């Protein structure tokens, strides 16, 4: 069985099996167009995809997977510095785009061939028997499916190498936990350059055989109109749905509402449950691990909890001294993971890869959690204050600080995540700068260089930053000021 099981037949194939921002296509049509992409990229070191929420993005990603070429999703709002780093670091020779789309400001750099994706293209090779793609044998499970770039607490984004076997194991475990089948219609409007929107939200449908409706933008009205059975969203999306009573009530016919990427506020959980007639499910994961812990479709849905480890996943809590932490629902420890869904390491970063695992082979998540006596997990924060979760995105404070310091008027900067009812956390920058520059100008400056969602929502101009004896900025004091 291949990775994209639903493309191998046996699930039926409606003309609207996939609907991406209003564009409908059958799985057969997707397979034909994706095989044409595979014909053009076979043997390439990597395929970057300008990951806008379009059918062309889905086609390009599937084409890369058919050909066994690692896929590198490129955020469409990435600034030139971030984009250049991802393309150079990944080794991508091609950038797949929708024909007629404007390329990102600043271009894509030398040595990158732009590949327009035609939805009506025909494959050059035969699509005879042999699985999805026909002409292409299923790549080995250990082959890299994706290089997903994730922001750390310092420096440029790192490319996490995601094996095909990890994707398959994760989707199968989620299908079991959520009772996800070909009878479902999955609805979401999440970005297609993250695990949540792309791996779960596209490949999940192409493995389980469910229909897919991507709404383009995750608005309450679009979610309500889709009439799905299974919905994905981040807390920001669910907060907006809960605030729109008519949209929320329209989701009453759904089988499952899934929230992830950040903790779902309890008031949003309770309002969704009241308006839709069912409590949402929460799950936990990272780029490096995919989804590892989740509430079950047929289990208890406990506010503030992400539930139990998925099949094959093991978890443990350790204290700062490395000793085991009891599962008493109160004692906090660093969450560490082991299992088949984990990444294979960071591209070109053996130092970071080595630091990511303990000596006995457990992945260090950097998140702190508590585990109840019955095994339910609650994520309570970061071991560091430097990884910000805003609107479902994970944002490295160090990357934003570095962009601010590039401004000629800025002497220094410190970035924190301030509590925000809508976003979960809002990016706030404390900046020492020449009085001639304004906060709004600095926000625009960052947005021009990094992904727009990484820009500060607020800039506080200060004369100095609080530091300890070693010169480290005391970010907890900055948060207290807010």
């Amino acid at each position: 069985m291949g990775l994209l099981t639903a493309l191998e037949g046996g699930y039926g194939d409606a003309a609207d099996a996939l609907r991406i921002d209003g564009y409908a296509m059958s799985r057969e049509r997707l397979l034909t167009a994706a095989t044409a992409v595979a014909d053009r990229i076979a043997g390439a070191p990597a395929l970057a995809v300008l990951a806008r929420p379009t059918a062309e993005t889905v086609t390009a990603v599937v084409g890369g997977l058919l050909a066994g070429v690692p896929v590198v999703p490129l955020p469409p709002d990435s600034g030139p510095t971030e984009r250049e780093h991802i393309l150079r670091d990944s080794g991508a020779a091609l950038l797949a785009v929708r024909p007629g789309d404007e390329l990102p400001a600043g271009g894509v750099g030398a040595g990158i061939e732009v590949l327009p994706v035609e939805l009506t293209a025909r494959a050059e090779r035969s699509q005879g028997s042999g699985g999805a793609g026909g002409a292409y044998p299923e790549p080995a499970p250990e082959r890299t499916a994706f290089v997903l770039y994730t922001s750390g607490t310092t420096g440029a984004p790192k490319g996490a190498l995601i094996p095909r076997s990890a994707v398959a194991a994760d989707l199968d475990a989620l299908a079991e936990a959520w009772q996800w089948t070909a009878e479902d219609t999955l609805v979401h409007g999440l970005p297609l350059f993250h695990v949540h929107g792309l791996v779960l939200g596209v490949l999940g449908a192409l493995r389980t055989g469910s229909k897919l409706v991507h709404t383009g933008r995750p608005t309450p009205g679009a979610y309500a109109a889709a009439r799905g059975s299974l919905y994905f969203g981040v807390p920001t999306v669910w907060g907006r749905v809960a605030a729109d009573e008519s949209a929320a009530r329209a989701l009453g016919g759904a089988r499952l509402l899934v929230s992830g990427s950040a903790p779902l506020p309890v008031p949003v959980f309770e309002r969704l449950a009241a308006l839709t007639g069912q409590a949402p499910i929460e799950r936990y994961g990272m780029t490096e691990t995919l989804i590892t812990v989740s509430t079950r479709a047929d289990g208890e849905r406990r506010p503030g909890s992400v539930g139990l480890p998925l099949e094959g996943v093991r978890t443990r809590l350790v204290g700062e001294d490395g000793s085991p932490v009891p599962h008493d629902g109160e004692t906090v420890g660093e969450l560490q993971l082991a299992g088949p869904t984990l990444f294979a390491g960071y591209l070109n970063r053996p130092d970071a890869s080595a630091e990511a695992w303990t000596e006995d082979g457990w992945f260090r998540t950097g998140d702190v959690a508590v585990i109840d006596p019955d095994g339910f997990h609650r994520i309570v924060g970061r071991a560091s204050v430097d990884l910000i979760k805003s609107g479902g995105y994970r944002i490295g404070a160090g990357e934003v600080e570095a962009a601010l310091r590039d401004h000629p008027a800025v002497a220094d900067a410190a970035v924190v995540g301030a509590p925000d009812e809508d976003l979960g956390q809002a990016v706030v920058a404390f900046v020492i700068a020449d009085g001639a520059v304004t906060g709004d100008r600095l926000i625009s400056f960052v947005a021009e260089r990094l992904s727009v969602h990484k820009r500060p929502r607020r800039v506080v101009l200060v004369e100095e930053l609080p530091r300890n004896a070693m010169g480290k900025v005391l970010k907890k004091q900055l948060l207290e000021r807010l």
Side-chain angles (χ1 to χ4, degrees):
M1 183 175 69
L3 177 59
L4 307 179
T5 314
L7 295 183
E8 298 175 8
Y11 290 89
D13 192 18
D16 60 348
L18 299 97
R19 186 176 294 275
I20 314 295
D21 197 17
Y23 184 91
M25 62 193 311
S26 66
R27 296 189 191 97
E28 180 181 6
R29 186 175 178 187
L30 169 63
L31 178 57
T32 298
T35 304
V37 171
D39 290 344
R40 297 163 69 187
I41 67 171
L47 171 68
V49 179
L50 190 60
R52 295 188 169 109
T54 66
E56 286 82 1
T57 291
V58 173
T59 300
V61 169
V62 172
L65 294 173
L66 293 179
V69 174
V71 175
V72 186
L74 186 66
D77 65 348
S78 58
T81 301
E82 180 181 11
R83 183 169 62 251
E84 180 184 357
H85 167 73
I86 292 174
L87 292 173
R88 182 180 65 252
D89 186 67
S90 68
L94 299 154
L95 175 63
V97 302
R98 181 167 64 176
D101 269 2
E102 291 185 10
L103 293 177
V108 296
I112 304 295
E113 179 185 349
V114 175
L115 178 70
V117 177
E118 299 285 354
L119 298 179
T120 58
R122 304 293 300 180
E124 296 176 7
R125 307 186 191 190
S126 169
Q127 287 187 43
S129 60
Y136 295 93
E138 180 69 15
E142 65 272 14
R143 288 280 297 273
T144 298
F146 295 100
V147 184
L148 299 177
Y149 279 80
T150 177
S151 294
T153 56
T154 59
K158 302 186 293 292
L161 300 169
I162 311 297
R164 300 173 72 93
S165 59
V167 174
D170 200 55
L171 294 176
D172 289 346
L174 288 173
E176 185 274 330
W178 296 344
Q179 299 176 0
W180 186 0
T181 73
E183 302 302 314
D184 280 307
T185 295
L186 169 62
V187 178
H188 73 92
L190 301 174
L192 296 187
F193 52 91
H194 278 186
V195 167
H196 198 168
L198 180 59
V199 178
L200 274 65
V202 173
L203 300 194
L206 294 178
R207 188 165 178 84
T208 64
S210 67
K211 284 188 174 183
L212 169 64
V213 177
H214 190 289
T215 59
R217 292 176 56 83
T219 64
Y223 272 38
R227 303 293 178 181
S229 62
L230 175 62
Y231 284 81
F232 290 169
V234 298
T236 301
V237 172
W238 290 126
R240 292 170 182 170
V241 169
D244 186 328
E245 182 172 345
S246 63
R249 291 194 183 280
L251 270 56
R255 184 179 65 79
L256 213 60
L257 311 178
V258 180
S259 181
S261 299
L264 183 66
V266 173
V268 175
F269 181 104
E270 293 174 341
R271 183 164 173 80
L272 280 174
L275 293 175
T276 66
Q278 64 163 302
I281 273 182
E282 293 191 68
R283 90 303 183 277
Y284 167 79
M286 303 174 63
T287 300
E288 293 91 338
T289 67
L290 305 182
I291 308 307
T292 51
V293 183
S294 179
T295 307
R296 293 333 196 236
D298 58 358
E300 180 186 356
R301 304 179 190 185
R302 191 177 300 173
S305 172
V306 293
L308 303 166
L310 296 179
E311 184 177 354
V313 174
R314 293 176 292 146
T315 65
R316 72 182 185 186
L317 294 181
V318 299
E320 292 184 356
D321 60 356
S323 62
V325 168
H327 297 180
D328 57 10
E330 295 182 2
T331 307
V332 173
E334 182 196 6
L335 181 63
Q336 298 181 352
L337 302 169
T341 70
L342 271 63
F343 77 137
Y346 295 111
L347 180 65
N348 303 324
R349 294 290 303 275
D351 53 340
S353 298
E355 292 174 3
W357 275 275
T358 65
E359 292 184 358
D360 57 348
W362 290 73
F363 176 72
R364 309 176 193 269
T365 67
D367 283 317
V368 290
V370 298
I371 300 179
D372 294 335
D374 60 4
F376 270 62
H377 290 51
R378 288 188 293 118
I379 309 300
V380 297
R382 286 294 298 174
S384 166
V385 297
D386 289 326
L387 194 58
I388 301 167
K389 293 183 177 181
S390 181
Y393 295 102
R394 298 167 64 89
I395 301 166
E399 188 181 7
V400 183
E401 289 164 355
L404 284 165
R405 292 186 188 119
D406 284 341
H407 194 285
V410 172
D412 205 354
V415 169
V416 298
D420 184 274
E421 290 185 358
D422 185 36
L423 298 170
Q425 288 182 303
V427 179
V428 177
F430 288 82
V431 179
I432 302 172
D434 186 309
V437 71
T438 65
D440 286 346
R441 180 66 194 100
L442 292 175
I443 291 171
S444 298
F445 182 82
V446 173
E448 292 167 1
R449 284 153 179 78
L450 304 178
S451 298
V452 174
H453 65 262
K454 296 179 180 179
R455 72 191 187 284
R457 300 287 176 151
R458 177 182 171 193
V459 170
V460 182
L461 297 174
V462 296
E463 293 186 0
E464 61 180 10
L465 298 171
R467 300 178 183 273
N468 63 16
M470 299 298 292
K472 183 178 179 179
V473 175
L474 301 174
K475 292 191 173 182
K476 288 185 178 180
Q477 292 188 17
L478 294 178
L479 284 168
E480 289 170 0
R481 292 186 189 181
L482 297 173

